[in-house]
Amino acid sequence: MTKNVVTILDTGETYGCAGEENLLDAMVRLGRKGIPSGCHGGGCGVCKIHIVDGAWRGKAMSREHVSREEEAHGIVLACRAYPASDVTLKVLGKMKKAVCRERKYGLV
């Protein structure tokens, strides 16, 4: 199974994500504590990201959290986005707070 490379611009981290796996599930495998994963069904909105480069396909997500216009510009929920190529993303909202928080004393 070939994995696409996903780059998180905010931290410089990269991880592999197969096309049939959503970006959130693969991100959780990084082993970082505190990555908000919520409902995993597109309804809670905690995993909002901005895909700034690369191809992806999406599944239905709550319009309460992602408008059609946002989705057209690559702002999606990581639990409902699947990479079709290597992807570069930025984390937003609650996800940004968790992923980008300052690490102290080597702890997350």
Side-chain angles (χ1 to χ4, degrees):
M1 161 180 1
T2 303
K3 290 192 176 186
N4 299 297
V5 176
V6 179
T7 302
I8 304 172
L9 275 181
D10 310 83
T11 64
E13 291 174 283
T14 60
Y15 62 93
C17 184
E20 63 277 354
E21 181 177 32
N22 68 57
L23 294 169
L24 178 62
D25 286 345
M27 187 183 294
V28 168
R29 277 201 329 272
L30 280 172
R32 295 274 304 278
K33 292 180 182 174
I35 292 177
S37 58
C39 70
H40 287 260
C44 73
V46 300
C47 62
K48 198 169 190 178
I49 60 171
H50 180 193
I51 298 175
V52 296
D53 190 38
W56 59 278
R57 63 182 177 78
K59 290 189 174 179
M61 56 193 89
S62 170
R63 291 293 169 219
E64 181 177 331
H65 302 294
V66 177
S67 69
R68 290 189 197 291
E69 184 178 335
E70 285 178 315
E71 187 174 352
H73 288 95
I75 297 173
V76 297
L77 301 177
C79 68
R80 307 303 281 169
Y82 298 77
S85 71
D86 290 348
V87 169
T88 302
L89 62 85
K90 288 181 166 185
V91 290
L92 304 172
K94 292 178 183 177
M95 175 76 80
K96 184 171 185 88
K97 185 182 242 183
V99 171
C100 299
R101 72 175 173 238
E102 185 178 332
R103 296 179 187 191
K104 296 181 182 180
Y105 310 109
L107 302 174
V108 178

